Amino acid sequence: MKSKFIEKLLPLLRKHWPHPLCEVNHKNALQLMVGVIMSAQSTDKTVNEITPALFKRYPTAKAFAQANPLDIEKMIYRCGFFRAKTRSIMGACRVLVEKFGGEVPKTMEQLLELPGIGRKSANVILGAIYGIASGIVVDTHMIRLSNRFQLAKGEDAVKIEQELIKVVPQKDWVFFSQSMVLHGRYICVAKTPRCWECHLIKICPYSDKVLSPKLNEKEEPRKTITGLPMLTRKHSQ
């Protein structure tokens, strides 16, 4: 039953998000690692506003590892929990320098050795940087959509990932992770899902669908924070 739903879901997700991207801006694995540490309980938009200056000042893992923590704290203050995140960033970079030649490793086991990096963050890095399907990224958006689509129950990210990898083909794990996160962020939002824009509406089992926009809302093209167009369903379809 769930596998059949996934067979229908994947092509419809591709109609919305043919080329999904991780929304933490980065040019390399180190930048993405630092960005995902910073993004915890913050927004990618805020992180992306902070990181250009941060990466200019600290271009390598060694530079981060040898930094004055007070300087990093001042630079990342706006993303919240700045002291804990500074410790994680510097700790992770020390491990990179001491154990991995300053490079971000390519396996789940090695990534989990880095302070501040859990399974979700490791899946993000492996998928977005290396194209490695190590698992499925389960964040708040994936949890919400998995429940709404009746693919899993509850809030336990580990259990939800195990349920999802049973039914989503491994070749689609990276796409599924990235597109579902985008879908949850921009279409199937928490309070008022934009079902009238959603290509999934005919197969979606969610009972509290919102079938039309508010009267004062204009239907016009929207983009993600990284500039991806949202290929939405027309309300008249």
Side-chain angles (χ1 to χ4, degrees), residues 2-222:
K2 291 180 181 180
S3 296
K4 293 291 185 183
F5 180 80
I6 291 294
E7 287 178 13
K8 297 176 182 178
L9 175 69
L10 288 170
L12 293 174
L13 277 176
R14 291 185 190 279
K15 290 183 73 172
H16 275 292
W17 315 104
H19 305 292
L21 293 172
C22 172
E23 293 210 289
V24 175
N25 287 342
H26 60 278
K27 294 180 180 178
N28 54 51
L30 175 67
Q31 290 185 0
L32 182 55
M33 183 200 78
V34 172
V36 297
I37 290 173
M38 289 173 57
S39 69
Q41 300 185 59
S42 183
T43 66
D44 291 347
K45 183 176 184 294
T46 299
V47 171
N48 292 343
E49 290 169 355
I50 295 171
T51 50
L54 185 71
F55 296 148
K56 184 176 182 180
R57 183 163 181 177
Y58 305 106
T60 65
K62 185 176 181 180
F64 272 113
Q66 295 178 343
N68 182 330
L70 294 177
D71 292 336
I72 297 179
E73 288 176 5
K74 290 176 184 177
M75 295 188 77
I76 72 170
Y77 176 84
R78 285 197 299 124
C79 72
F81 301 96
F82 57 95
R83 291 190 181 91
K85 291 177 182 180
T86 295
R87 287 194 297 272
S88 292
I89 291 167
M90 295 187 66
C93 287
R94 289 190 194 102
V95 175
L96 293 184
V97 171
E98 294 168 3
K99 194 166 183 179
F100 300 113
E103 300 296 322
V104 177
K106 298 181 179 180
T107 70
M108 174 64 69
E109 292 74 20
Q110 291 174 326
L111 283 170
L112 292 178
E113 295 181 41
L114 306 178
I117 298 298
R119 185 170 177 86
K120 181 191 80 172
S121 298
N123 278 328
V124 170
I125 294 166
L126 290 170
I129 293 293
Y130 301 122
I132 296 173
S134 56
I136 290 174
V137 176
V138 179
D139 68 351
T140 56
H141 302 296
M142 184 69 80
I143 290 171
R144 182 173 67 257
L145 268 62
S146 296
N147 278 268
R148 286 181 176 178
F149 295 163
Q150 298 178 10
L151 295 170
K153 291 182 180 180
E155 304 289 320
D156 188 310
V158 174
K159 290 181 179 178
I160 289 174
E161 184 181 8
Q162 292 306 308
E163 289 297 311
L164 293 174
I165 63 177
K166 292 176 185 176
V167 293
V168 179
Q170 187 170 2
K171 64 182 178 62
D172 295 308
W173 286 357
V174 175
F175 167 78
F176 182 77
S177 296
Q178 293 177 339
S179 61
M180 285 278 279
V181 169
L182 289 173
H183 204 68
R185 185 168 286 168
Y186 295 105
I187 306 294
C188 196
V189 296
K191 291 185 178 179
T192 308
R194 303 174 68 88
C195 306
W196 69 90
E197 291 185 328
C198 187
H199 291 299
L200 282 58
I201 190 168
K202 291 183 179 179
I203 68 166
C204 178
Y206 184 57
S207 59
D208 294 331
K209 293 184 178 71
V210 181
L211 300 178
S212 60
K214 296 177 181 178
L215 291 176
N216 61 350
E217 181 170 349
K218 295 179 180 179
E219 289 193 71
E220 55 188 20
R222 294 185 297 137

